[in-house]
Coordinates of all heavy atoms in Angstrom, one line a residue:
I1327 N 24.4 38.4 -5.3 CA 24.6 37.7 -6.6 C 25.4 38.7 -7.4 O 25.0 39.8 -7.5 CB 23.4 37.1 -7.2 CG1 23.8 36.3 -8.4 CG2 22.4 38.2 -7.6 CD1 22.8 35.2 -8.8
H1328 N 26.4 38.1 -8.1 CA 27.3 39.0 -8.9 C 27.4 38.5 -10.3 O 27.6 37.2 -10.5 CB 28.7 39.1 -8.3 CG 29.6 40.1 -9.0 ND1 29.4 41.5 -8.9 CD2 30.6 39.9 -9.9 CE1 30.3 42.0 -9.7 NE2 31.0 41.1 -10.3
P1329 N 27.3 39.2 -11.3 CA 27.3 38.7 -12.7 C 28.6 38.4 -13.3 O 29.0 38.9 -14.4 CB 26.5 39.7 -13.5 CG 26.9 41.0 -12.8 CD 27.0 40.7 -11.3
S1330 N 29.4 37.6 -12.6 CA 30.8 37.1 -13.2 C 31.1 35.9 -12.5 O 30.6 35.6 -11.4 CB 31.8 38.2 -13.1 OG 32.3 38.2 -11.8
H1341 N 29.8 41.9 -18.1 CA 29.7 41.2 -19.4 C 30.5 41.8 -20.5 O 31.2 41.1 -21.2 CB 28.2 41.2 -19.8 CG 27.3 40.8 -18.7 ND1 27.5 39.7 -18.0 CD2 26.2 41.4 -18.2 CE1 26.4 39.5 -17.1 NE2 25.7 40.6 -17.1
H1352 N 31.8 32.5 -19.0 CA 31.5 33.7 -18.2 C 30.4 33.0 -17.3 O 30.2 31.8 -17.2 CB 30.9 34.7 -19.0 CG 30.6 36.0 -18.4 ND1 31.4 36.6 -17.5 CD2 29.5 36.9 -18.4 CE1 30.8 37.7 -17.1 NE2 29.7 37.9 -17.6
G1353 N 29.8 33.8 -16.4 CA 28.8 33.2 -15.5 C 28.4 34.2 -14.3 O 28.5 35.4 -14.5
C1354 N 27.9 33.6 -13.3 CA 27.5 34.3 -12.1 C 27.9 33.6 -10.9 O 28.2 32.4 -10.9 CB 26.0 34.5 -12.2 SG 25.1 33.1 -12.4
S1355 N 27.9 34.4 -9.7 CA 28.4 33.8 -8.4 C 27.5 34.3 -7.3 O 27.1 35.6 -7.3 CB 29.8 34.3 -8.1 OG 30.7 34.1 -9.2
A1372 N 27.5 29.5 -11.6 CA 27.0 28.8 -12.8 C 27.8 29.5 -14.0 O 28.1 30.6 -14.0 CB 25.5 29.1 -12.9
V1374 N 28.4 29.9 -18.2 CA 27.7 30.0 -19.6 C 28.8 30.3 -20.5 O 29.9 30.8 -20.3 CB 26.7 31.1 -19.6 CG1 25.5 30.9 -18.6 CG2 27.3 32.5 -19.5
T1384 N 23.1 39.8 -25.1 CA 22.9 38.4 -25.3 C 23.5 37.7 -24.1 O 23.0 36.7 -23.5 CB 23.7 37.9 -26.5 OG1 23.4 38.9 -27.6 CG2 23.4 36.5 -26.9
V1385 N 24.7 38.2 -23.7 CA 25.5 37.5 -22.7 C 24.7 37.7 -21.3 O 24.5 36.8 -20.5 CB 26.9 37.9 -22.6 CG1 27.6 37.4 -21.3 CG2 27.6 37.5 -23.8
A1386 N 24.2 38.9 -21.1 CA 23.6 39.3 -19.9 C 22.3 38.3 -19.7 O 22.0 37.8 -18.6 CB 23.1 40.7 -19.8
G1387 N 21.6 38.2 -20.8 CA 20.4 37.3 -20.8 C 20.7 35.9 -20.4 O 20.1 35.3 -19.6
R1388 N 21.8 35.4 -21.0 CA 22.2 34.0 -20.8 C 22.7 33.8 -19.3 O 22.3 32.8 -18.7 CB 23.4 33.7 -21.7 CG 23.6 32.2 -21.9 CD 24.7 32.0 -23.0 NE 24.3 32.4 -24.3 CZ 25.0 33.0 -25.3 NH1 26.4 33.2 -25.0 NH2 24.6 33.3 -26.4
V1389 N 23.4 34.8 -18.8 CA 23.7 34.8 -17.4 C 22.5 34.8 -16.5 O 22.5 34.1 -15.5 CB 24.8 35.9 -17.0 CG1 25.0 36.1 -15.6 CG2 26.1 35.7 -17.8
Q1390 N 21.6 35.6 -16.8 CA 20.5 35.8 -15.9 C 19.6 34.5 -15.7 O 19.1 34.3 -14.7 CB 19.6 37.0 -16.3 CG 20.1 38.3 -15.9 CD 19.1 39.2 -15.2 OE1 18.0 39.4 -15.7 NE2 19.4 39.8 -14.0
V1391 N 19.5 33.7 -16.8 CA 18.8 32.5 -16.7 C 19.4 31.6 -15.6 O 18.7 31.0 -14.8 CB 18.8 31.7 -18.1 CG1 18.3 30.3 -17.9 CG2 18.1 32.5 -19.1
Q1392 N 20.8 31.7 -15.6 CA 21.5 30.9 -14.5 C 21.4 31.6 -13.1 O 21.3 30.9 -12.1 CB 23.0 30.8 -14.9 CG 23.2 30.0 -16.2 CD 22.6 28.6 -16.1 OE1 22.7 27.9 -15.1 NE2 22.0 28.2 -17.2
E1393 N 21.4 32.8 -13.1 CA 21.1 33.5 -11.8 C 19.8 33.1 -11.2 O 19.7 32.8 -10.0 CB 21.1 35.1 -12.0 CG 22.5 35.7 -12.4 CD 22.4 37.2 -12.3 OE1 21.3 37.7 -12.3 OE2 23.5 37.8 -12.3
H1394 N 18.8 33.0 -12.0 CA 17.5 32.7 -11.5 C 17.4 31.2 -11.0 O 16.6 30.9 -10.2 CB 16.4 32.9 -12.6 CG 16.4 34.3 -13.0 ND1 15.8 34.7 -14.2 CD2 16.8 35.5 -12.4 CE1 15.9 36.1 -14.2 NE2 16.6 36.5 -13.2
A1395 N 18.4 30.4 -11.5 CA 18.4 29.0 -11.0 C 19.3 28.9 -9.7 O 18.8 28.1 -8.8 CB 19.1 28.2 -12.1

Side-chain angles (χ1 to χ4, degrees):
I1327 189 152
H1328 183 76
S1330 78
H1341 309 309
H1352 187 47
C1354 49
S1355 308
V1374 302
T1384 317
V1385 173
R1388 200 174 291 142
V1389 168
Q1390 278 230 312
V1391 170
Q1392 296 303 320
E1393 291 190 344
H1394 300 160

